[in-house]
């Protein structure tokens, strides 16, 4: 399976320095985000994003903290698939910027988007991928990978979650992907899994490497 090659390449390509600087948010993130969201949701009153509610707002903030930070806000809002005027988008953006600053202040000044997308593009290209990939979808998929790994669901679940986040392709097992992914999609999914792991949740790199060996 070509996805094995790109996983190995990605894990080797991401520097340990970048991974160390972007360790995941501490455990209290959920509690802090929930407290922030209760008050912050009032700012969304009367906007297209009012139906999100405090629970979803807290989940988004935690995802940004454990993902690529404030740089991922545009892609995150786009992924909500809510038809909203520019003013409403600006309000939600500010709410999320403030939320990241309060919940994970150590992540707020980091610009991880370029590092991450360069890693994904480089690994996929080195593995032979020729097609361009949806950068916004790749940004949204990054925290999904680490959420799966941190929950103990395992690497296979993380890969399948990344595939869904990237391409909306559902599969029960990795073996099902061969018939459901087209073109370079497998390479891109592997690049996202490897890059997100090495950059955002590096303690799981060994787990991913073991999974690759077992394929």
């Amino acid at each position: 399976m070509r996805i094995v090659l790109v996983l190995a390449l990605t894990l080797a390509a991401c520097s340990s320095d970048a991974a160390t600087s972007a360790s995941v948010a501490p455990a209290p993130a959920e509690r802090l985000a929930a407290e922030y969201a209760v008050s912050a949701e009032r700012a969304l009153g009367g906007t297209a994003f009012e139906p999100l509610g405090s629970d979803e707002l807290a989940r988004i903030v935690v995802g940004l903290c454990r993902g690529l930070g404030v740089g991922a806000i545009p892609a995150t809002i786009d992924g909500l698939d809510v038809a909203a005027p520019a003013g409403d988008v600006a309000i939600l953006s500010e709410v999320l910027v403030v939320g990241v600053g309060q919940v994970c202040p150590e992540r707020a000044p980091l610009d991880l988007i370029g590092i991450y997308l360069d890693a994904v593009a480089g690994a996929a290209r080195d593995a032979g991928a020729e097609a361009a990939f949806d950068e916004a979808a790749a940004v949204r998929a990054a925290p999904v990978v680490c959420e799966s790994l941190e929950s103990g669901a395992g690497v296979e679940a993380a890969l399948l979650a990344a595939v869904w986040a990237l391409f909306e392709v559902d599969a029960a097992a990795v073996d099902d992907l061969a018939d459901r992914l087209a073109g370079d999609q497998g390479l891109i999914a592997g690049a996202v899994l490897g890059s997100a792991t090495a950059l955002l949740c590096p303690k799981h790199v060994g787990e991913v490497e073991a999974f690759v060996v077992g394929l």
Side-chain angles (χ1 to χ4, degrees):
M1 184 184 294
R2 297 177 72 198
I3 201 169
V4 176
L5 174 60
V6 74
L7 282 170
L9 286 169
T10 307
L11 289 169
C14 292
S15 71
S16 59
D17 290 342
T20 301
S21 68
S23 57
V24 298
E30 287 85 355
R31 176 179 57 79
L32 294 174
E35 292 173 354
Y36 169 73
V38 168
S39 60
E41 70 170 330
R42 291 196 293 269
L44 301 179
T47 73
F49 300 105
E50 183 175 3
L52 287 178
S54 60
D55 288 347
E56 179 65 7
L57 184 58
R59 186 195 68 78
I60 293 171
V61 171
V62 170
L64 291 168
C65 284
R66 291 186 170 154
L68 297 166
V70 294
I73 288 175
T76 299
I77 294 177
D78 182 62
L80 296 175
D81 198 24
V82 174
D88 288 4
V89 172
I91 291 172
L92 178 57
S93 295
E94 183 60 23
V95 166
L96 295 177
V97 168
V98 174
V100 171
Q102 291 193 17
V103 175
C104 51
E106 75 286 348
R107 179 58 61 86
L110 296 178
D111 183 9
L112 303 176
I113 297 293
I115 296 171
Y116 168 70
L117 290 178
D118 284 349
V120 173
R125 182 178 59 251
D126 289 347
E130 298 179 354
F133 63 94
D134 184 337
E135 293 186 351
V139 167
R140 292 192 294 271
V144 171
V145 167
C146 287
E147 286 170 11
S148 294
L149 293 172
E150 291 290 333
S151 72
V155 180
E156 182 173 31
L159 176 58
L160 296 176
V163 167
W164 173 258
L166 287 165
F167 312 117
E168 294 189 351
V169 171
D170 192 20
V174 169
D175 290 342
D176 298 333
L177 295 178
D179 297 329
R180 302 185 186 186
L181 296 181
D184 293 333
Q185 287 181 335
L187 298 177
I188 293 166
V192 165
L193 173 62
S195 297
T197 302
L199 182 63
L200 300 177
C201 45
K203 70 179 182 180
H204 294 285
V205 166
E207 185 181 349
V208 173
E209 289 177 333
F211 176 79
V212 171
V213 170
L215 285 176

